[in-house]
Amino acid sequence: DGGITQSPKYLFRKEGQNVTLSCEQNLNHDAMYWYRQDPGQGLRLIYYSQIVNDFQKGDIAEGYSVSREKKESFPLTVTSAQKNPTAFYLCASSSGWGELFFGEGSRLTVL
Amino acid sequence: DAKTTQPNSMESNEEEPVHLPCNHSTISGTDYIHWYRQLPSQGPEYVIHGLTSNVNNRMASLAIAEDRKSSTLILHRATLRDAAVYYCILRDDNTDKLIFGTGTRLQVFP
């Protein structure tokens, strides 16, 4: 079945460590997105990519990095520069006319 | 980026219609109006979207004001499964950028 897969579902990190969250889609979508959600809050855009080998910063890109080497993959690295990384991370993809398909999310906890 | 404003919460009884408002006074001509809903600990789910004309699908209806500065998501008969946070967002057709606000938490009572 077509869809978008995030892994891992739960991740624990020690302070000062970089972690990478995986996002894979087999929907043949050009656009992919990373959002962060804190408890009781809405989604905030971290990075998005409209096409392979290109991506743009969202509203809260500091402390995060991404790559888009393949159409189906858009991994997010949470670096040690991100001071408050504990959150729920959501990846999404979109076809040209705009409906977003979301993954199930990755919950990152810093110990 | 154009922003949206929604009430923090709304309540409804089961089987009644629900009208969820959204203001987007700074909308540009190329912005599409999208609605998503989110259940706890899940990713948001697409509900409906439109540009200028009212839209209907199996989940809901979208009524767009003539000046496009506001819109209303209409759930014709609320069910308990419709209890969720509903997000009204604008999609810039030039950049594919989608910015979510804080949404409206809908409670549905039996």
Side-chain angles (χ1 to χ4, degrees):
Chain A
D1 288 348
I4 184 163
T5 303
Q6 289 186 240
S7 64
K9 193 168 183 178
Y10 298 95
L11 184 62
F12 297 89
R13 185 193 103 172
K14 293 182 180 179
E15 283 191 25
Q17 287 183 333
N18 292 354
V19 293
T20 298
L21 307 180
S22 170
C23 179
E24 303 278 332
Q25 55 99 359
N26 60 5
L27 300 166
N28 200 34
H29 288 167
D30 285 317
M32 296 188 74
Y33 306 79
W34 274 106
Y35 290 91
R36 168 183 172 141
Q37 187 171 37
D38 293 289
Q41 304 297 312
L43 282 71
R44 292 187 289 170
L45 182 63
I46 305 172
Y47 270 99
Y48 67 107
S49 168
Q50 293 175 275
I51 199 168
V52 175
N53 292 322
D54 188 41
F55 49 83
Q56 286 78 39
K57 292 182 178 180
D59 296 331
I60 56 165
E62 186 175 351
Y64 301 97
S65 66
V66 293
S67 63
R68 188 82 189 278
E69 297 175 1
K70 298 185 297 182
K71 187 176 187 178
E72 58 270 23
S73 180
F74 192 41
L76 174 73
T77 297
V78 185
T79 75
S80 57
Q82 171 49 238
K83 297 306 178 188
N84 185 21
T86 295
F88 187 48
Y89 291 88
L90 286 157
C91 179
S93 70
S94 171
S95 63
W97 59 273
E99 178 184 345
L100 281 176
F101 290 82
F102 280 87
E104 294 188 347
S106 294
R107 192 169 297 279
L108 172 63
T109 302
V110 173
L111 303 173
Chain B
D1 300 320
K3 302 292 186 186
T4 62
T5 304
Q6 300 175 253
N8 288 333
S9 63
M10 293 186 66
E11 298 178 351
S12 175
N13 294 319
E14 222 178 348
E15 302 295 315
E16 289 183 352
V18 181
H19 291 232
L20 298 168
C22 181
N23 288 319
H24 28 80
S25 58
T26 60
I27 191 170
S28 72
T30 55
D31 285 337
Y32 281 77
I33 302 159
H34 284 243
W35 284 83
Y36 288 78
R37 68 182 186 183
Q38 186 180 25
L39 298 173
S41 297
Q42 293 185 20
E45 173 191 30
Y46 168 82
V47 178
I48 201 167
H49 79 284
L51 183 62
T52 56
S53 303
N54 294 344
V55 184
N56 300 296
N57 66 20
R58 63 175 179 81
M59 292 181 69
S61 295
L62 176 60
I64 302 172
E66 196 168 334
D67 63 5
R68 300 210 325 126
K69 294 185 176 182
S70 65
S71 60
T72 302
L73 179 70
I74 303 166
L75 307 178
H76 295 285
R77 293 177 66 187
T79 70
L80 296 178
R81 287 177 295 179
D82 290 324
V85 178
Y86 286 79
Y87 295 99
C88 166
I89 63 176
L90 301 180
R91 174 179 175 265
D92 186 330
D93 197 41
N94 292 322
T95 68
D96 283 333
K97 192 174 181 180
L98 291 97
I99 303 294
F100 281 73
T102 55
T104 296
R105 182 174 300 278
L106 175 65
Q107 291 182 282
V108 181
F109 298 104

